[in-house]
Amino acid sequence: MHTVWKGAISFGLVHVPVKMFSATQDNDIAMKMIHKACGTPISYVRTCQHCEQPVEWEDIVRGYEYEPGRFVLFEKEELDALAEASKEIKILDFVDLNEIDPIYFQKTYYLSPGDTGSNAYSLLMEAMRQTGKIGIAKVSIRSKSSLAAIRIIEDCIAMETIFYPDEIRSIRQVPNLPENPQVNDKELAMAKMLIEQLSAPFEPDKYKDDYREKVWDMIQSKIAGEEVRVAPEAPKTNVIDLMAALQASLEAVKTEKVPADQTDKTASKSRGKKKAKETVS
């Protein structure tokens, strides 16, 4: 894995040197923008709107538009200096993981011991494991300051960058939320029963990206020169009988969970009764 950051975890007067690695990867199938007429990839040119000329990377700086058309400019070194001011993941508090709503989480990183300090790393990991606590820290990565949650994943210290509270939009901004929602008791009972029927331990390996697989299959078909046909979707209707949908869902779940041998026994018993009846008659 590629090291994306080096620094140290600090809590109190203890410093734990660590290296940071990205824990996730984007597996989306990358596609380029192509000129349909000739099949050539399109290139994007950085152009100055005033000079109407291409601009090289070394001639580009960052700027903040504080008024329309007026900017304050920053050299790369100025922003880097702010980020380099602290090369530490400073734990501010220890809290329970269940106190943090998932909406706050951004990206996960793995932290390994630095070239020195493996004993301090193991000590922090075991102390957090036995207390059941996670650390809330501040860190600067790539010129961006962020809050972070420090927790244990198996035998590794991990860091989850999390949003600041003012970066979370208020639910009050969501339009058309129901006020004083009312539900039918029978529908509610059936909905809860359906949830119970569908409840299972979380097994991430059983979930897959169906869309990505379909795109890859289509790519292979096009490479092989086959004609690609997409079946039309069934027409959808907005008119839904809620009770009927819940009942059908429950029946489907019950059917899926009936063991095959039990189904065979039931069918065999039914055939036996029918044969006996015919003999009597």
Side-chain angles (χ1 to χ4, degrees):
M1 279 194 245
H2 173 68
T3 303
V4 298
W5 187 89
K6 291 182 181 180
I9 301 173
S10 69
F11 63 108
L13 299 177
V14 179
H15 284 256
V16 184
V18 292
K19 296 179 181 179
M20 182 181 296
F21 307 87
S22 180
T24 58
Q25 61 185 13
D26 185 357
N27 285 336
D28 282 350
I29 297 174
M31 295 192 181
K32 294 184 176 181
M33 305 298 287
I34 307 295
H35 185 198
K36 186 177 180 179
C38 65
T40 304
I42 296 174
S43 61
Y44 293 89
V45 180
R46 297 175 298 277
T47 305
C48 174
Q49 298 178 7
H50 173 71
C51 301
E52 297 183 351
Q53 293 181 355
V55 181
E56 299 297 330
W57 277 116
E58 57 266 24
D59 295 324
I60 296 176
V61 296
R62 295 194 178 190
Y64 175 75
E65 188 174 15
Y66 64 96
E67 289 180 4
R70 299 181 68 86
F71 301 86
V72 288
L73 304 183
F74 292 90
E75 296 289 343
K76 182 178 183 298
E77 292 74 18
E78 292 180 285
L79 296 175
D80 288 345
L82 296 176
E84 292 292 334
S86 175
K87 268 290 188 180
E88 69 175 350
I89 303 169
K90 185 174 183 179
I91 297 179
L92 308 175
D93 301 292
F94 286 95
V95 303
D96 293 326
L97 178 59
N98 59 14
E99 294 179 357
I100 306 176
D101 191 284
I103 194 173
Y104 283 91
F105 291 111
Q106 290 179 305
K107 184 174 175 59
T108 306
Y109 297 90
Y110 293 141
L111 304 177
S112 73
D115 296 331
T116 60
S118 60
N119 289 339
Y121 181 96
S122 299
L123 175 64
L124 174 60
M125 181 169 59
E126 190 59 28
M128 291 177 63
R129 195 196 309 275
Q130 294 195 16
T131 58
K133 298 290 185 179
I134 68 168
I136 300 299
K138 293 186 75 171
V139 62
S140 293
I141 305 174
R142 294 171 182 160
S143 302
K144 177 176 172 55
S145 174
S146 177
L147 281 177
I150 309 300
R151 65 188 186 96
I152 308 302
I153 299 179
E154 298 181 8
D155 292 324
C156 179
I157 297 177
M159 186 187 83
E160 312 261 4
T161 54
I162 59 180
F163 291 103
Y164 283 101
D166 61 358
E167 295 178 303
I168 304 297
R169 291 178 174 176
S170 172
I171 291 177
R172 296 185 182 88
Q173 298 179 20
V174 181
N176 302 322
L177 289 179
E179 296 182 7
N180 302 318
Q182 302 294 323
V183 295
N184 179 280
D185 289 340
K186 290 184 178 180
E187 293 175 349
L188 178 60
M190 293 187 69
K192 290 165 64 176
M193 191 183 304
L194 177 58
I195 289 174
E196 289 298 327
Q197 292 281 354
L198 292 173
S199 295
F202 177 58
E203 300 174 2
D205 291 339
K206 75 178 184 180
Y207 305 106
K208 59 182 181 180
D209 189 340
D210 295 327
Y211 174 76
R212 188 178 70 217
E213 290 185 358
K214 290 176 182 177
V215 171
W216 183 248
D217 289 342
M218 187 175 290
I219 289 172
Q220 297 305 311
S221 295
K222 285 180 175 289
I223 292 174
E226 298 179 6
E227 183 179 357
V228 177
R229 296 183 181 275
V230 180
E233 293 186 3
K236 297 180 180 179
T237 174
N238 292 327
V239 180
I240 301 175
D241 185 335
L242 185 56
M243 285 292 289
L246 289 168
Q247 185 65 50
S249 299
L250 280 171
E251 292 299 329
V253 172
K254 289 178 180 178
T255 302
E256 290 176 0
K257 292 195 174 184
V258 174
D261 57 346
Q262 183 176 334
T263 303
D264 294 340
K265 289 178 182 178
T266 302
S268 177
K269 186 183 292 185
S270 176
R271 287 193 298 269
K273 289 182 178 180
K274 183 177 180 182
K275 188 172 183 180
K277 186 175 180 181
E278 290 173 351
T279 304
V280 172
S281 59

